[in-house]
């Protein structure tokens, strides 16, 4: 079956440092979405990537979709304490999305 | 524009009881998805519904779990004869069109089975 993996599982950074989380699929994806979930909160949509090799930016966040459409990354430049939370990728295989286990980011002030 | 509404926010049930979780999608959205999240884990897809139709229930356990999205009213996720392993957060999401569009999540229902 389809599997989506994410690494690392946890990441602790000092405020101001950069952060990257990687998402890998066992099979080719139609597209991929990224969500952020604050502690005790619900997932909030960040972005969707559709095209092979696509790169999108949202302020300090950069999202990439691999050429083979089997992997993706989220990079945060100069983290802030407001970036704390769990970042999930969700791979679309047609009828549903398969969520990765998430990367939990802690930012130390 | 109200977001996705879920109620109750917290639900406590004894083993063997029934749990009913409700989800009202965002205004204008006709696609609803249910997910389950165990503590410190990712979201597991359960079921995808449109008004009066189940589109994909491949993530739903075959027994005790059912979902509906009637023509009028909220979507309901029903768990019969709950067991301790059903304790989790259940999130509902809605979208204006079907997969693969952006999903808006509700605040979730935290189910605790004692």
């Amino acid at each position: 079956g389809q599997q989506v993996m994410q690494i690392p599982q946890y990441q602790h950074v000092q405020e101001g440092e950069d952060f990257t989380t990687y998402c890998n699929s066992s099979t080719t994806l139609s597209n991929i979405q990224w969500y952020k979930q604050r502690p005790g909160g619900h997932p909030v949509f960040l972005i969707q990537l559709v095209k092979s090799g696509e790169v999108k930016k949202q302020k300090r966040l950069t999202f990439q979709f691999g050429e083979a459409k089997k992997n993706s990354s989220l990079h945060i430049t100069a983290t802030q304490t407001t970036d704390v939370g769990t970042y999930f990728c969700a791979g679309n295989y047609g009828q549903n999305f398969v969520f990765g286990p998430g990367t939990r980011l802690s930012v130390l002030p | 524009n109200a977001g996705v509404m879920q109620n109750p926010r917290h639900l406590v049930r004894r083993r063997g009881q029934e749990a009913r979780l409700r989800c009202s999608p965002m205004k204008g959205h006709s696609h609803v998805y249910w997910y389950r999240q165990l503590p410190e884990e990712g979201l597991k897809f359960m079921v995808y519904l449109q008004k009066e139709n189940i589109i994909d229930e491949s993530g739903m356990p075959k027994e005790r779990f059912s979902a509906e999205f009637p023509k009028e009213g909220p979507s309901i996720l029903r768990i019969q004869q709950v067991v301790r392993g059903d304790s989790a957060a259940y999130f509902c999401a809605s979208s204006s069109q079907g997969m693969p569009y952006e999903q808006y999540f509700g605040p979730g229902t935290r189910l605790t089975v004692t």
Side-chain angles (χ1 to χ4, degrees):
Chain A
Q2 297 109 357
Q3 273 194 306
V4 175
M5 290 157 286
Q6 273 186 265
I7 54 169
Q9 189 176 359
Y10 299 96
Q11 183 79 59
H12 305 278
V13 300
Q14 205 73 38
E15 190 173 19
E17 290 181 338
D18 292 355
F19 159 75
T20 305
T21 172
Y22 299 91
C23 179
N24 294 291
S25 168
S26 53
T27 56
T28 303
L29 296 161
S30 300
N31 56 70
I32 194 162
Q33 294 181 346
W34 284 91
Y35 291 81
K36 176 184 177 182
Q37 185 176 24
R38 292 182 187 276
H42 59 275
V44 174
F45 175 83
L46 294 176
I47 209 151
Q48 176 166 283
L49 304 170
V50 179
K51 298 176 185 172
S52 167
E54 189 170 12
V55 178
K56 285 189 177 179
K57 292 192 175 187
Q58 287 180 353
K59 297 183 181 178
R60 295 179 295 105
L61 277 61
T62 302
F63 303 84
Q64 286 190 306
F65 201 9
E67 293 290 340
K69 299 183 75 173
K70 293 177 73 173
N71 56 69
S72 180
S73 65
L74 157 59
H75 179 82
I76 303 178
T77 304
T79 53
Q80 300 174 357
T81 53
T82 51
D83 295 325
V84 164
T86 302
Y87 292 84
F88 294 100
C89 63
N92 177 237
Y93 299 92
Q95 277 284 79
N96 63 44
F97 277 96
V98 176
F99 277 75
T103 295
R104 179 170 292 187
L105 174 64
S106 299
V107 179
L108 305 171
Chain B
N1 187 11
V4 178
M5 312 281 281
Q6 284 188 254
N7 67 79
R9 295 290 304 275
H10 300 273
L11 182 62
V12 179
R13 284 285 177 267
R14 291 201 183 106
R15 277 179 297 169
Q17 291 185 318
E18 179 180 286
R20 278 187 175 235
L21 287 61
R22 293 175 195 77
C23 169
S24 296
M26 279 184 73
K27 189 177 179 181
H29 286 191
S30 59
H31 300 259
V32 165
Y33 315 86
W34 284 94
Y35 294 87
R36 176 162 66 177
Q37 185 175 40
L38 293 170
E40 313 224 350
E41 291 192 11
L43 293 139
K44 292 281 191 281
F45 168 80
M46 298 181 75
V47 63
Y48 163 29
L49 310 108
Q50 267 186 283
K51 285 281 186 183
E52 299 184 279
N53 286 310
I54 296 175
I55 307 301
D56 182 350
E57 56 181 347
S58 58
M60 193 99 97
K62 292 285 185 279
E63 296 177 355
R64 302 188 298 109
F65 285 73
S66 62
E68 62 175 9
F69 189 15
K71 190 176 178 182
E72 301 291 336
S75 175
I76 306 283
L77 178 67
R78 184 179 174 210
I79 312 172
Q80 294 179 290
Q81 298 176 312
V82 296
V83 301
R84 288 231 171 96
D86 297 331
S87 296
Y90 291 83
F91 288 97
C92 160
S94 74
S95 65
S96 58
Q97 301 178 60
M99 296 283 186
Y101 290 87
E102 173 181 347
Q103 299 172 70
Y104 293 83
F105 280 80
T109 294
R110 267 90 180 157
L111 172 66
T112 302
V113 179
T114 60

